[in-house]
Amino acid sequence: MEAVGTLDELLGRPVRGKRVFVRADFNVPVRGGIVFDDTRIRASLPTLRRLVEAGARVIVASHLDRPEGRVVADLSLEPVAERLGEWLGVPVGFARMGAGDEARVCTEKLVGGEILLLENLRFEPGEAANDAGLAQRLADLADAYVLDAFASAHREHASTVGMQAFVSDRVMGDLVAWEIRKLEVLLDPPRPFVCVIGGVKVADKAHLLEALVRRADVVGIGGALAYPFLQARGKSVANSLVEDDVSETVERVLALAERSQCRLLLPDDHRVARELGGEEVPHVEAEIPAEHIAVDIGPGTAAALVDAVDAAGSVFWNGPMGIFELAGCSEGTREVALAVARCSGYSVVGGADTARALREWGLEDGPAHVSTGGAAALEFVAGGELPALRALRKDLSPPGSRSAGTSKPARSASGS
Ligand code: ADP
Ligand code: MG
């Protein structure tokens, strides 16, 4: 198995004037041209600063949200270029991929120590489809490739995986290296190992529960992820959010939990309301009544999760327990956040929204690690190898060219 190259190794070779393509994750909340949370932008700074200071011609790229292959003005990364420039203290250029050769022309004009952000990659239909043509066009912009988009490393897209086939000099950035170092602890977790999983993106998360149930001692499920489980147990979820049909996966997870030593904690009480965002104060019910929406786990469920976290040797938490952004719907998430933050075991929190909840209550310094990845962190902890990391490990470069550099090869992504 090939070790993954590091940024130290790349910088150990001459990079001045080289075009270094950095796949970052700038999938940040933007509304009306304003970046509301720049955590992920700040997380990318160590890698970008080092490359700029080394005199590389830096091309950085990311997706934003899900424009599904169309140009959506509200999802432009232009406000991110501006914010990134403020943090870096240098102007950040901006170029569209588009059908023309704007991106190529702009990157040709870059001089050493300059940096350019490409427009939202998901404006291109080929990005999510991992289209070889787009992958080749992106690779044509790059002499070297740096994967620093930890939060997108579970995606097999043109910029995360596809283009890696066409660039021989590839390394992970400092953010990815840091994430792996912190998350790797959970591949051999101090016991009992407790996972609390919630939020939305049910299709992304549900199938990972199979692996988690095999690895963890306790798996607690809340948020919208819980409703397909309640349905599988014949309970009504009334008007609660049911995103995707994951019933087959849910059946497998339930069967696996029966056979394994893993204790599965599902909500057995809820905070419910008839409408969202109105005057109505959500109230607690054991079952979700007709015409109601479950907006949060109830106090009994929260107490069970808190007990499990209090006794944990290690904890992984991803996904809010309810619609914590709305008044009266945040108590379950807050209880879990408090427990995870004070937990004496090794605690990791993943996910942009989950991290935002922690910050809202000033708890972000509590856990041992707050990951920039949600589903990516979950997939890593579930023991799966992230596709973008796997691609990084395949040595496509000429013999000898990757042995330079002094840093230890990362133990990263050793799979397991
Ligand atoms: P993360 O970004 O931490 O991985 P997700 O993106 O999966 O988390 O989920 C976060 C979102 O889940 C929040 O915006 C929250 O409002 C929503 N959510 C949680 N519980 C519910 C629920 N019961 N019904 C609807 N949405 C929910
Ligand atoms: Mg989210």
Side-chain angles (χ1 to χ4, degrees):
M1 289 283 178
E2 292 296 330
V4 174
T6 63
L7 192 63
D8 287 343
E9 287 171 33
L10 180 70
L11 292 171
R13 302 189 283 272
V15 294
R16 187 164 294 280
K18 258 197 191 174
R19 296 170 307 160
V20 180
F21 185 106
V22 181
R23 176 49 160 106
D25 190 307
F26 294 146
N27 186 23
V28 297
V30 178
R31 271 187 302 277
I34 295 166
V35 177
F36 278 87
D37 175 357
D38 64 3
T39 310
R40 282 181 173 167
I41 298 176
R42 284 183 284 122
S44 76
L45 294 174
T47 292
L48 296 177
R49 277 200 182 113
R50 291 179 73 192
L51 287 166
V52 166
E53 280 163 17
R57 295 151 70 197
V58 184
I59 299 129
V60 55
S62 172
H63 74 281
L64 176 64
D65 214 320
R66 300 184 180 196
E68 298 184 340
R70 291 186 314 262
V71 176
V72 178
D74 285 346
L75 298 181
S76 171
L77 277 175
E78 217 163 347
V80 170
E82 202 166 309
R83 182 68 63 91
L84 182 61
E86 287 165 19
W87 279 111
L88 286 172
V90 297
V92 174
F94 190 71
R96 280 165 286 266
M97 273 309 286
D101 53 4
E102 181 177 330
R104 202 185 47 77
V105 170
C106 291
T107 54
E108 287 311 322
K109 282 191 197 142
L110 276 182
V111 300
E114 283 186 345
I115 175 168
L116 170 87
L117 175 65
L118 295 182
E119 178 58 291
N120 190 346
L121 291 171
R122 288 196 192 160
F123 285 180
E124 303 296 315
E127 167 62 359
N130 192 13
D131 172 67
L134 179 63
Q136 179 74 70
R137 279 169 60 219
L138 291 168
D140 285 346
L141 304 175
D143 300 315
Y145 174 91
V146 178
L147 178 77
D148 218 21
F150 180 76
S152 309
H154 63 306
R155 302 267 183 223
E156 212 159 323
H157 291 176
S159 65
T160 54
V161 172
M163 68 179 288
Q164 292 204 44
F166 305 112
V167 186
S168 58
D169 197 358
R170 307 185 312 281
V171 301
M172 61 177 165
D174 286 347
L175 173 59
V176 164
W178 177 66
E179 290 278 6
I180 289 172
R181 212 161 49 236
K182 295 292 188 172
L183 288 167
E184 247 175 5
V185 175
L186 296 181
L187 295 183
D188 183 16
R191 304 269 169 192
F193 177 31
V194 177
C195 294
V196 181
I197 313 297
V200 288
K201 290 184 246 169
V202 167
D204 282 349
K205 295 183 183 185
H207 72 277
L208 297 170
L209 292 173
E210 279 184 72
L212 274 195
V213 160
R214 287 199 183 90
R215 302 201 56 239
D217 300 292
V218 180
V219 173
I221 300 175
L225 189 58
Y227 307 135
F229 283 88
L230 299 179
Q231 285 176 318
R233 293 205 160 157
K235 301 199 170 177
S236 166
V237 300
N239 296 345
S240 306
L241 175 69
V242 178
E243 268 192 328
D244 306 284
D245 180 11
V246 289
S247 50
E248 283 174 23
T249 312
V250 163
E251 293 295 346
R252 281 198 301 274
V253 172
L254 287 170
L256 205 59
E258 289 270 304
R259 278 184 274 125
S260 72
Q261 299 295 312
C262 178
R263 194 153 62 92
L264 201 58
L265 293 175
L266 292 171
D268 49 19
D269 60 353
H270 313 270
R271 280 200 162 75
V272 300
R274 282 178 183 272
E275 270 175 38
L276 293 181
E279 300 285 280
E280 182 187 0
V281 178
H283 67 280
V284 176
E285 293 274 0
E287 310 277 342
I288 305 167
E291 281 160 46
H292 281 68
I293 305 163
V295 296
D296 192 8
I297 55 172
T301 305
L305 293 173
V306 167
D307 282 348
V309 170
D310 281 344
S314 53
V315 182
F316 176 73
W317 174 34
N318 167 239
M321 298 292 101
I323 312 172
F324 74 98
E325 300 91 338
L326 298 181
C329 310
S330 63
E331 199 46 37
T333 305
R334 191 165 164 273
E335 290 283 331
V336 169
L338 285 164
V340 171
R342 69 166 177 255
C343 170
S344 58
Y346 185 81
S347 54
V348 174
V349 175
D353 291 296
T354 313
R356 193 155 50 84
L358 269 185
R359 279 198 304 279
E360 207 158 290
W361 299 307
L363 298 170
E364 66 273 28
D365 295 330
H369 180 55
V370 180
S371 174
T372 54
L378 179 56
E379 193 161 326
F380 189 98
V381 170
E385 196 181 33
L386 307 183
L389 291 175
R390 193 188 311 126
L392 215 48
R393 206 142 48 64
K394 286 193 198 129
D395 193 354
L396 306 166
S397 58
S401 70
R402 288 167 70 85
S403 54
T406 50
S407 58
K408 271 194 308 185
R411 273 205 298 139
S412 83
S414 43
S416 98

